[in-house]
Amino acid sequence: MAPGCEVLGRVRTGLARLEGSRWGLGSQIMWKTDCPASSHLVDSCLPQSLVQPAATKLVLLVLDGLGGLPREPGGPTELEAAETPNLDRLAAEGQVGLSQPVGLGITPGSGPGHLALFGYDPVASNIGRGALSALGLGLRLEAGDLGVRLNFCTLDDQGVVVDRRAGRIDTQINQALVARLNGIEVPGVELAFATESQHRAVLIMRGAYLSPAVQETDPQAVGVPPLEPEPLTATAQHTSAVLRLVTEAVRDCIGGESPANFVLMRGYAGLPELESLNSLYGLQAVCLATYPMYKGLARVAGMAVVDGLHSVDNQMTTLATVWDEHDYFFIHHKAPDARGEDGGFDAKAAAIEEMDRRVPDLMALGPDVLAVTGDHSTPSTLRQHSWHPVPCLFRAGSVLPDTVESFGERACGQGSLGVFPAQSIMPLMLAHGGRLQKFGA
Amino acid sequence: MAPGCEVLGRVRTGLARLEGSRWGLGSQIMWKTDCPASSHLVDSCLPQSLVQPAATKLVLLVLDGLGGLPREPGGPTELEAAETPNLDRLAAEGQVGLSQPVGLGITPGSGPGHLALFGYDPVASNIGRGALSALGLGLRLEAGDLGVRLNFCTLDDQGVVVDRRAGRIDTQINQALVARLNGIEVPGVELAFATESQHRAVLIMRGAYLSPAVQETDPQAVGVPPLEPEPLTATAQHTSAVLRLVTEAVRDCIGGESPANFVLMRGYAGLPELESLNSLYGLQAVCLATYPMYKGLARVAGMAVVDGLHSVDNQMTTLATVWDEHDYFFIHHKAPDARGEDGGFDAKAAAIEEMDRRVPDLMALGPDVLAVTGDHSTPSTLRQHSWHPVPCLFRAGSVLPDTVESFGERACGQGSLGVFPAQSIMPLMLAHGGRLQKFGA
């Protein structure tokens, strides 16, 4: 039994803990009998305590934002409309259901959506905005670092916020301002400013004793001055003092500019220190993703990350080259989510088809276990993430196929997996991979 | 984020806490992610933290005791036998499932059944018998009040209980006795006795420092004297002393009567201090119910209550008149439960049909989200509440219709919602109403 499991029966101490930079999965564990639906999901500690080695290859294929809605009443969803002969065959040969990333009615961001798929509790391991923005830019966050989401803003002569987004300045202006801000030095802490886009930027702070428990300076309104980065707990006094120095330096540095003459800070967050998939399950996990955000999330789970991938072709070609070195493969396909957010029904269907065409390449490698799903739904009619559960299929030698013959929302709603927690995908993959011993005698 | 969420991380201390008179939802809240079924059910604090305003109208239509069983093997249930063209159409256009009020195998009373539908944890917010009896009589309980369930009983000359129900005296005799008991005065506490029916009555106590942690005086057996209202905790000494004075006064008042010459006390309970639906979710909720119990339960959730309703006609006519002022409408139809408890299979089916005929009136108002379900099942073959999960349908623009074409127990068992916690109906309604932001970035 791994060390984390000794804490069964201890309870999580709550949000305050989520804000600390030094929490781990173990401290969130308690007896599952306090909860109404214990039949579906077991804590990562139970599978973890049962891990046994096996020479099996597990593949998690994520079609980001996979789930959708009909464009017109009675019509098909994007996935149902897409020509997906390969995924349909896998669904017919395998078992399907609808995976629920966080809970009924809850729309997940990319962070909770993926961490659930990797087997982590998506709420306990939620990543704050500053840290996630840093991941999205491909910036590395280490334990103890603090990410801060910045908006360039406009202050008037009295120091009052007149535009919280500085007129949505061009990204090029943002970059020029960030270059100057990167000259700021504050003793005892390393600072790195980075451009996101338009008025959006990120600050990464590295140093000892940094705490996210500081008041956000964005007043969320115009006509008032920015708030002060007051400490919200006694242990955040150092961070508060650092941030005051930073804001003064920002004022000195760009205070004479127009319209972007200050920054508003929010979403202070470090990365959660999650136990790695290797430590939890003995997996040699690798990520094949094209976007920085998902590579960052994979790093949070301790995966190796292949850099330099730009297309599904890249991903599939590379998969073959890293096949022997790893045993858990996270393949991330961004396009369905991006097209869904654009409101492109047909484009989303096409993005799904693009991956379907490469499924035979994947199957040719002979994965022992394949799970195909999304991190959340992104219906093109809604143009945003949604709360709808996500089609999911399992293909493995030990799967009991159900009666479903195709891969789609309604078909998966008839699958024998039912509606189930996305967090259970990992233990199911491990089980089908022969990587979990019996529990109890 | 509403104040209740500040207690995130505190944990429920168990049943003992449920017996206390001064507990609120906050103290029982913890992240459900500590719990395995987090994929299905999230604590009210997670949706609460994501609430955003939206000008949408949500309707919860409760057919009390909706779920049933076949009268003969192979036959239909009451709902399946009923002619419900309107509910069938909504089921075809919407998404269905079976809602589980408390848990598999657990038969809910009206209190937990409804509080789950309103989004509260039905176990943590359970209402004790004395308080629920008071609600059923339409009596108002305020914070700190204590309700006590009374049985008139017969004592012999030695003070031994010879009939715990005093021969089930007529309700009229009960009323005459209660009128005399209402002359009892005890310093420092207001007392109000009320007739329930036959030998059943209720005492409401109002005053400072009242505690339910007092021994029940009903010995649950004949041939022994009543028990004393001993304090079970140090803080209940005052209440114990008051109840001793009450029992002495009752003896003085009706000790010479026959057969009802004393009362046995049990079910000491105040109302839970639940955070209101307005505070939790920003809803302007209103209750349209005909029976006192359900109006009382709605008040516990902070709803406005329309008084003077006596029929489905009343309810539907009134719904239109209050439509503009509110955004969450709880419509309660009592008849299916009452007919089920009478053992009337056909009468229960007819009661369901009665509401079905008014569904077009409801839809004509254009609700953005409609959920139709029951608070529990009441099979007419069992003549009582049961543990069977309850048919539930959702109708909203963002619902993904499943393949089910009618509204019934077996049909809903094929629905894409699966069997899901009734407590999730509220977050699902909020999500479909555009009232929840994304969780996590």
Side-chain angles (χ1 to χ4, degrees):
Chain A
M1 186 179 291
C5 279
E6 296 167 14
V7 296
L8 271 173
R10 279 170 59 186
V11 296
R12 193 141 55 82
T13 52
L15 254 192
R17 177 163 285 282
L18 292 178
E19 292 165 2
S21 64
R22 293 283 172 187
W23 55 276
L25 191 65
S27 54
Q28 291 107 42
I29 287 166
M30 58 172 304
W31 290 109
K32 295 314 179 183
T33 49
D34 284 27
C35 125
S38 51
S39 62
H40 278 66
L41 179 63
V42 292
D43 187 89
S44 62
C45 250
L46 184 53
Q48 177 188 2
S49 70
L50 304 173
V51 165
Q52 65 184 4
T56 50
K57 304 282 191 186
L58 319 182
V59 176
L60 173 69
L61 174 58
V62 176
L63 284 77
D64 202 306
L66 176 62
L69 287 172
R71 184 161 37 183
E72 58 276 316
T77 66
E78 301 91 327
L79 174 58
E80 290 168 348
E83 290 285 326
T84 54
N86 297 303
L87 290 170
D88 289 345
R89 185 166 54 250
L90 292 179
E93 295 167 355
Q95 182 187 22
V96 301
L98 293 169
S99 74
Q100 188 77 268
V102 179
L104 284 166
I106 305 299
T107 297
S110 297
H114 278 87
L115 290 175
L117 294 177
F118 303 155
Y120 299 95
D121 180 322
V123 177
S125 61
N126 189 30
I127 301 176
R129 183 159 197 145
L132 203 72
S133 288
L135 293 186
L137 293 177
L139 304 173
R140 297 283 185 101
L141 282 185
E142 297 182 3
D145 289 359
L146 202 62
V148 183
R149 172 65 198 283
L150 306 178
N151 270 10
F152 284 104
C153 69
T154 313
L155 304 186
D156 68 10
D157 293 347
Q158 275 71 49
V160 162
V161 179
V162 292
D163 187 335
R164 290 178 54 243
R165 297 181 184 87
R168 295 184 185 273
I169 50 171
D170 284 349
T171 301
Q172 283 182 326
I173 297 176
N174 181 321
Q175 288 166 334
L177 292 168
V178 158
R180 288 164 58 188
L181 293 178
N182 272 323
I184 293 176
E185 293 190 359
V186 169
V189 59
E190 289 177 53
L191 302 176
F193 291 85
T195 295
E196 204 166 332
S197 67
Q198 293 185 312
H199 55 285
R200 305 180 198 91
V202 171
L203 165 62
I204 297 180
M205 305 166 68
R206 180 165 298 168
Y209 308 116
L210 294 175
S211 163
V214 177
Q215 179 168 272
E216 304 192 335
T217 67
D218 187 342
Q220 300 284 345
V222 294
V224 292
L227 301 175
E228 290 297 317
E230 305 283 357
L232 302 179
T233 65
T235 54
Q237 288 183 352
H238 166 65
T239 309
S240 169
V242 168
L243 287 171
R244 283 178 203 275
L245 294 174
V246 169
T247 53
E248 283 170 29
V250 168
R251 215 182 286 264
D252 290 346
C253 182
I254 64 169
E257 295 297 320
S258 174
N261 59 7
F262 198 55
V263 295
L264 301 174
M265 305 189 293
R266 58 195 168 109
Y268 310 112
L271 283 185
E273 291 176 33
L274 298 182
E275 204 172 338
S276 72
L277 297 184
N278 184 262
S279 166
L280 286 166
Y281 309 121
L283 295 171
Q284 303 294 330
V286 64
C287 161
L288 297 113
T290 55
Y291 275 57
M293 170 85 75
Y294 311 97
K295 296 194 264 188
L297 289 168
R299 282 196 190 95
V300 171
M303 294 189 208
V305 172
V306 178
D307 276 319
L309 303 178
H310 300 291
S311 68
V312 175
D313 272 354
N314 275 171
Q315 288 173 288
M316 287 299 167
T317 310
T318 305
L319 177 63
T321 67
V322 300
W323 189 252
D324 291 342
E325 300 156 46
H326 297 278
D327 48 25
Y328 177 94
F329 304 84
F330 161 49
I331 306 171
H332 182 265
H333 183 42
K334 175 68 178 172
D337 175 61
R339 297 297 84 73
E341 293 202 330
D342 295 342
F345 185 100
D346 295 327
K348 182 178 168 188
I352 294 168
E353 292 173 351
E354 180 189 12
M355 181 53 81
D356 183 79
R357 283 191 293 275
R358 306 310 299 261
V359 164
D361 298 348
L362 197 169
M363 296 311 292
L365 293 168
D368 298 283
V369 183
L370 169 66
V372 184
T373 189
D375 55 334
H376 54 73
S377 293
T378 305
S380 54
T381 52
L382 300 183
R383 294 173 174 261
Q384 60 186 11
H385 294 197
S386 79
W387 60 94
H388 301 82
V390 189
C392 181
L393 75 80
F394 280 86
R395 176 66 159 71
S398 51
V399 154
L400 175 62
D402 48 30
T403 57
V404 174
E405 299 281 327
S406 65
F407 194 49
E409 287 82 353
R410 260 74 70 103
C412 288
Q414 300 290 317
S416 60
L417 277 166
V419 184
F420 70 99
Q423 207 187 332
S424 293
I425 290 173
M426 175 60 86
L428 277 169
M429 291 178 73
L430 293 168
H432 285 299
R435 289 171 173 270
L436 294 184
Q437 302 166 22
K438 181 166 65 175
F439 168 65
Chain B
M1 185 177 289
C5 277
E6 296 168 13
V7 299
L8 275 174
R10 285 171 58 185
V11 295
R12 192 141 52 84
T13 50
L15 267 187
R17 176 163 287 279
L18 293 179
E19 292 165 3
S21 66
R22 290 284 171 184
W23 55 275
L25 190 67
S27 54
Q28 289 104 42
I29 287 169
M30 54 175 308
W31 286 104
K32 293 306 185 189
T33 52
D34 286 53
C35 122
S38 57
S39 67
H40 279 64
L41 179 62
V42 292
D43 187 90
S44 60
C45 252
L46 184 52
Q48 178 188 3
S49 70
L50 303 173
V51 165
Q52 65 184 4
T56 50
K57 304 280 189 185
L58 320 181
V59 176
L60 172 69
L61 174 58
V62 175
L63 285 77
D64 201 306
L66 177 63
L69 287 171
R71 186 159 36 184
E72 58 276 318
T77 67
E78 300 92 325
L79 174 59
E80 290 168 348
E83 289 286 327
T84 55
N86 297 303
L87 291 170
D88 288 347
R89 184 166 55 249
L90 292 179
E93 295 167 356
Q95 181 185 25
V96 301
L98 293 169
S99 73
Q100 189 75 270
V102 180
L104 285 167
I106 305 300
T107 297
S110 297
H114 278 87
L115 291 175
L117 293 177
F118 303 155
Y120 298 94
D121 179 323
V123 176
S125 61
N126 191 31
I127 300 177
R129 182 158 196 146
L132 203 70
S133 290
L135 292 186
L137 294 178
L139 305 174
R140 296 281 185 103
L141 283 185
E142 296 181 4
D145 291 356
L146 203 62
V148 183
R149 172 64 199 283
L150 307 178
N151 270 10
F152 285 104
C153 68
T154 313
L155 304 187
D156 69 9
D157 293 347
Q158 274 70 49
V160 162
V161 179
V162 291
D163 187 334
R164 288 178 54 246
R165 297 180 185 85
R168 295 183 185 274
I169 50 171
D170 285 347
T171 301
Q172 284 183 323
I173 296 175
N174 180 321
Q175 288 167 332
L177 293 168
V178 157
R180 288 163 59 186
L181 293 178
N182 271 324
I184 293 175
E185 294 189 2
V186 169
V189 60
E190 287 177 55
L191 302 176
F193 291 85
T195 296
E196 204 164 333
S197 66
Q198 292 184 313
H199 55 285
R200 303 180 198 93
V202 170
L203 165 62
I204 296 180
M205 305 167 68
R206 180 165 298 165
Y209 308 116
L210 294 175
S211 164
V214 177
Q215 179 168 270
E216 302 191 337
T217 67
D218 187 342
Q220 299 283 346
V222 294
V224 293
L227 302 174
E228 291 295 317
E230 305 282 357
L232 302 178
T233 66
T235 54
Q237 287 181 353
H238 165 66
T239 309
S240 170
V242 167
L243 287 171
R244 282 180 205 272
L245 293 174
V246 170
T247 54
E248 283 170 29
V250 168
R251 213 182 288 265
D252 292 345
C253 183
I254 63 168
E257 295 297 319
S258 174
N261 59 6
F262 197 54
V263 295
L264 301 175
M265 304 188 295
R266 60 198 165 106
Y268 311 110
L271 283 185
E273 293 176 34
L274 299 182
E275 203 171 341
S276 72
L277 297 185
N278 184 262
S279 166
L280 286 166
Y281 309 121
L283 295 172
Q284 302 294 331
V286 63
C287 161
L288 296 114
T290 56
Y291 275 58
M293 171 84 77
Y294 311 97
K295 296 195 262 187
L297 289 167
R299 281 196 192 93
V300 171
M303 292 189 210
V305 172
V306 178
D307 277 318
L309 303 178
H310 299 290
S311 67
V312 174
D313 272 353
N314 276 169
Q315 289 173 289
M316 288 299 166
T317 309
T318 305
L319 177 62
T321 68
V322 300
W323 189 250
D324 291 342
E325 299 156 48
H326 298 276
D327 50 23
Y328 177 94
F329 304 84
F330 161 49
I331 305 171
H332 182 265
H333 184 41
K334 175 68 177 172
D337 176 61
R339 298 297 84 75
E341 292 201 329
D342 295 342
F345 185 99
D346 295 327
K348 182 178 169 188
I352 295 167
E353 292 172 352
E354 181 189 13
M355 182 53 81
D356 183 80
R357 283 190 293 274
R358 304 311 299 261
V359 165
D361 298 346
L362 198 169
M363 296 310 291
L365 293 168
D368 298 284
V369 183
L370 170 67
V372 184
T373 189
D375 54 333
H376 54 73
S377 293
T378 305
S380 53
T381 53
L382 301 183
R383 295 172 172 261
Q384 60 185 14
H385 294 197
S386 79
W387 59 93
H388 302 82
V390 189
C392 181
L393 75 80
F394 279 86
R395 176 69 159 68
S398 50
V399 153
L400 176 63
D402 50 29
T403 58
V404 173
E405 300 281 327
S406 65
F407 193 49
E409 286 81 354
R410 262 75 67 106
C412 290
Q414 300 292 316
S416 61
L417 277 166
V419 183
F420 69 100
Q423 207 187 332
S424 294
I425 290 174
M426 176 61 84
L428 276 170
M429 291 178 74
L430 293 169
H432 285 296
R435 290 171 173 270
L436 293 184
Q437 300 166 22
K438 183 166 65 173
F439 168 66

